[in-house]
Amino acid sequence: MTVVRPDTTLKQAPETQFPTGFIWGAATASYQVEGAAAEDGRTPSIWDTFSRTPGKVRNGDTGDIAADHYHRYRDDVALMKQLGLKAYRFSVSWSRVQPTGRGPAVERGLDFYRKLVDELLDAGIMPVATLYHWDLPQELEDAGGWPERVTADRFADYAAIVSGALGDRVGMWTTLNEPWCSAYLGYGSGVHAPGRTEPAAALQAAHHLNLAHGRAIEVLRAQLPAAAQTSVTLNLHQVRPLTGSEADADAARRIDAVGNRVFTGPMLRGEYPEDLITDTSHLVDWSKLVKDGDLATISRPVDALGINYYSPTIVSVPEQGADYARSDAHGASTHSPWPGSEHVAFHLAEGKERTAMDWSIDPDGLYSLLMDVTRDHPGLPLMITENGAAFDDYISPEGKVQDPERVAYLHGHLDAVQRAVADGADVRGYFLWSLMDNFEWAYGYSKRFGAVYVDYASQRRIPKASAYWYSDVIRRHALPPVGTV
């Protein structure tokens, strides 16, 4: 069996094409697609508990069955091959392989990922493993969750189990997916599991997620072959002030600090930014939270930075007495997911079309974000690990799913990637979110991000027009003319 490894020596291809070796993939997350929530030793994660809590998830939906990927992975991999995908980014369910979050692995759980990886390799598709996509074992949350330092210790043990089982066949690894969401939506605004609304705990969780990342990198480096690639995925916010006022500029600075630099600072520079510490000093004592050696651990080098982008973040100081949005369209809550900056107001870009999530469609935001990261961290290889959009998709009488809005969205954002590459950004690949429709967290099954339509009643898969368009992009290694489907 041939192990598919990432190409780390990219060369610029002709102008109309993407770089030679550019990776074309699609992504999913374990709780969103796998189902089989109580099979083969798996125990509840925080998302099992949260989705069963009345009023937390739309329509009372749960991930018990989801897209049934656990039982249908062979068919799903065959569909990936049909579409020409070169890589598949999946996440591992911690509760499936180490049900209590501590102790030995359950081999039946690991066997699912072994079989999935083997199926991908046999199809010529590179497996990209993400260790954590938000589904903390419930027993660890019962012990305090991410606000407790010990959870980072448990994560290192878990990383050792998974990399030990799959490291001979998986060549690209991601430690965490979007720790901003885990920390701030889970412990700040409470719109994600575990549903807590404690600003101080949210900041503690952010630090311990950073620490967990660093400890996992240490484990991966110790256990994986030298050629293996490591990364972390951040949903970096492309922050813009609403106006040119000094007050709005400071609002943007605050959100950049608590949303972006709280992660990139320690991970990529080995330090927390001073303005973040000042902004949040009334919530946590950073001198006690950050222990000796933490920053050296967190800043272990990675081979690439994964970037997830959907829409820009536009902020201002609120007008006196006016109602204003606190949540940046991540879910309704009276509690802010921005600890220390609860007073900042968020806005949608004017004059822009919106997705079914009510997010502004703005490819220029992706271009700007890539160039900002390139400027701030020169020489750091980048991956677009999530990009996509939800629209109100439906099956036509002819049995097809036409989604021209998604095709236009993807074309615009891939064009932004291509422009950024031409201007010096070292972008190594693009992973469409998502391969298929799935459990969209607090929105349940009401939002469809997939390139493949899932009829949840029958579990039938129907590739949308965007799936065929993306397949053509992969085949061409270039963008087709606008309007091509």
Side-chain angles (χ1 to χ4, degrees), residues 264-277:
T264 59
M267 288 182 182
L268 303 178
R269 299 187 186 280
E271 61 185 13
Y272 280 104
E274 287 299 325
D275 59 333
L276 168 74
I277 293 172

Side-chain angles (χ1 to χ4, degrees), residues 38-321:
E39 292 188 34
D40 294 332
R42 184 186 180 279
T43 57
S45 74
I46 55 175
W47 270 98
D48 294 272
T49 302
F50 188 77
S51 63
R52 284 173 169 75
T53 304
K56 295 298 185 181
V57 174
R58 188 169 296 183
N59 300 320
D61 293 338
T62 74
D64 286 359
I65 299 174
D68 198 30
H69 183 60
Y70 189 81
H71 299 113
R72 300 170 187 267
Y73 72 92
R74 290 187 177 88
D75 291 340
D76 290 338
V77 172
L79 182 55
M80 295 180 216
K81 183 176 181 179
Q82 175 189 330
L83 295 174
L85 293 184
K86 306 304 180 185
Y88 174 53
R89 177 176 174 253
F90 64 94
S91 75
V92 177
S93 166
W94 193 344
S95 293
R96 194 177 296 285
V97 305
Q98 195 189 27
T100 64
R102 55 174 64 83
V106 171
E107 291 300 322
R108 291 171 296 171
L110 282 171
D111 284 345
F112 167 69
Y113 299 104
R114 292 185 178 107
K115 292 183 292 185
L116 172 61
V117 166
D118 288 348
E119 197 76 16
L120 290 165
L121 292 173
D122 287 344
I125 299 170
M126 183 175 70
V128 179
T130 298
L131 288 171
Y132 186 74
H133 199 131
W134 309 352
D135 45 357
L136 185 72
Q138 182 59 47
E139 288 199 23
L140 291 185
E141 174 58 29
D142 292 342
W146 284 113
E148 296 297 326
R149 186 179 179 90
V150 69
T151 307
D153 300 331
R154 301 285 77 79
F155 187 73
D157 296 340
Y158 160 68
I161 288 171
V162 179
S163 58
L166 303 178
D168 61 333
R169 285 161 288 180
V170 175
M172 185 173 287
W173 293 79
T174 299
T175 55
L176 307 173
N177 181 81
E178 298 185 350
W180 182 90
C181 294
S182 298
Y184 298 152
L185 300 183
Y187 295 93
S189 66
V191 299
H192 277 194
R196 290 163 59 179
T197 54
E198 307 160 33
L203 290 168
Q204 293 163 358
H207 176 62
H208 296 142
L209 283 156
N210 285 337
L211 184 60
H213 156 75
R215 289 187 175 169
I217 291 294
E218 291 177 337
V219 168
L220 295 175
R221 287 296 181 206
Q223 294 198 169
L224 296 177
Q229 303 285 291
T230 62
S231 66
V232 64
T233 282
L234 304 177
N235 58 318
L236 295 178
H237 300 79
Q238 203 272 311
V239 187
R240 306 173 189 168
L242 181 65
T243 73
S245 72
E246 290 186 10
D248 285 0
D250 189 62
R253 177 203 61 76
R254 296 181 72 101
I255 295 306
D256 179 55
V258 76
N260 294 332
R261 289 182 284 121
V262 67
F263 301 110
T264 59
M267 288 182 182
L268 303 178
R269 299 187 186 280
E271 61 185 13
Y272 280 104
E274 287 299 325
D275 59 333
L276 168 74
I277 293 172
T278 299
D279 291 344
T280 59
S281 61
H282 62 292
L283 295 173
V284 296
D285 184 342
W286 289 90
S287 66
K288 294 181 179 178
L289 178 62
V290 182
K291 307 295 185 184
D292 288 346
D294 282 5
L295 292 171
T297 296
I298 296 168
S299 60
R300 299 295 183 196
V302 293
D303 297 295
L305 175 65
I307 294 176
N308 294 355
Y309 173 85
Y310 293 93
S311 187
T313 302
I314 303 172
V315 301
S316 73
V317 292
E319 296 181 14
Q320 188 171 3

